[in-house]
Amino acid sequence: MKQILIYQSKTGYTKKYVDCLSRRIADLEIVEAKKMKWRELKNYDFIFYGAPLRNNKILGLDKFLKHYEKFKDKNIFIFATGFEPISDSKKENVILANALNYYHVRLYLLPGGLNFSKFPKVLQKIIAKGLKEEAKKQNLPEEQVLNRIDNPIDMTDMNSLDKMLDVYHALVLKGK
C-alpha cells in the first residue's frame, strides 16, 4: 500500500501537522506541492493534501484537483489550517469556495496560527497601518495593537488529527 502527503506551508503551521503525520503513519511519502510530479498520483492508494486557508480557499488545491481524474478512485484526505474558529458554517464555506462538493474527498479543518513576520514586508506594512488605525478608533495604545505583529499566535493541536487518522486506520484495516 502506497501513500503520499502533498503539502504547502507558508508560515509553518501546516508543516507542523505534516511532521506529526509523518510520525503517525508508517511509510508516508512527503512531498512539497511545488516538487510534486502529478502524473505519479495514480500509483498511490492513499493521498493526503494539506495547505493553509486564505479567505476560505485552500492554497494550491485547485492545481491538485486539476489532476483528479488520475486518482479519483483513491482514498483522498484534504486538510487545511487556518486562524479562524472551526465550525460547521466555516466548513461549508470552505467546501463551497473550493468546489469540493463536486469531488469525492474527505475534508478536515485544523487550527493553525498567525505569524505576521512570515508575511511579505509590504503586507506587514499594510497590516501595521490598519492596526494603527484600529488602535486610534478603539482608543488603545498603539504599541498594544502593534504587539500582535511581533508575537505569533500558534493554535496548532496535534490531537485535532485524531479524527482523520481514525478514518485512515479504519480504511487500512478494511484493506481499501
Side-chain angles (χ1 to χ4, degrees), residues 45-48 71 73-77 106 171 176:
D45 303 300
F46 289 87
I47 300 169
F48 295 82
F71 57 84
D73 59 334
K74 309 297 181 172
N75 290 294
I76 305 163
F77 293 80
R106 293 172 179 87
L171 290 169
K176 294 198 175 202

Side-chain angles (χ1 to χ4, degrees), residues 102-119:
Y102 296 107
Y103 301 93
H104 181 69
V105 299
R106 293 172 179 87
L107 173 66
Y108 300 88
L109 300 181
L110 307 174
L114 190 60
N115 186 346
F116 290 115
S117 70
K118 302 273 185 168
F119 290 13

Side-chain angles (χ1 to χ4, degrees), residues 112-157:
L114 190 60
N115 186 346
F116 290 115
S117 70
K118 302 273 185 168
F119 290 13
K121 295 291 181 196
V122 173
L123 187 53
Q124 287 181 38
K125 288 181 182 183
I126 292 168
I127 292 168
K129 183 178 179 186
L131 288 174
K132 286 178 187 178
E133 290 173 10
E134 190 61 29
K136 285 180 186 176
K137 285 181 191 175
Q138 295 183 24
N139 292 323
L140 296 172
E142 193 174 283
E143 309 81 46
Q144 179 184 347
V145 178
L146 289 175
N147 190 30
R148 296 176 189 167
I149 292 176
D150 298 327
N151 296 304
I153 300 168
D154 185 347
M155 302 181 314
T156 55
D157 176 10

Side-chain angles (χ1 to χ4, degrees), residues 63-75:
K63 187 172 184 178
F64 173 74
L65 291 174
K66 193 164 80 172
H67 304 278
Y68 182 73
E69 286 301 313
K70 296 174 187 156
F71 57 84
K72 67 181 179 183
D73 59 334
K74 309 297 181 172
N75 290 294

Side-chain angles (χ1 to χ4, degrees), residues 14-98:
T14 302
K15 180 71 165 80
K16 288 177 80 171
Y17 288 111
V18 169
D19 293 343
C20 183
L21 286 168
S22 73
R23 292 186 301 275
R24 294 178 72 182
I25 298 175
D27 301 320
L28 180 63
E29 186 178 334
I30 310 288
V31 179
E32 282 187 75
K34 63 185 174 187
K35 296 178 182 176
M36 184 63 204
K37 293 178 177 71
W38 299 105
R39 66 187 172 280
E40 295 178 7
L41 284 176
K42 66 182 182 291
N43 300 323
Y44 294 90
D45 303 300
F46 289 87
I47 300 169
F48 295 82
Y49 182 86
L53 279 172
R54 297 289 183 271
N55 298 320
N56 292 326
K57 293 286 286 177
I58 301 170
L59 291 185
L61 186 64
D62 51 347
K63 187 172 184 178
F64 173 74
L65 291 174
K66 193 164 80 172
H67 304 278
Y68 182 73
E69 286 301 313
K70 296 174 187 156
F71 57 84
K72 67 181 179 183
D73 59 334
K74 309 297 181 172
N75 290 294
I76 305 163
F77 293 80
I78 296 171
F79 64 93
T81 59
F83 186 68
E84 292 181 47
I86 298 167
S87 65
D88 289 340
S89 64
K90 175 66 175 175
K91 188 170 185 176
E92 185 63 29
N93 289 338
V94 171
I95 289 168
L96 292 173
N98 294 277

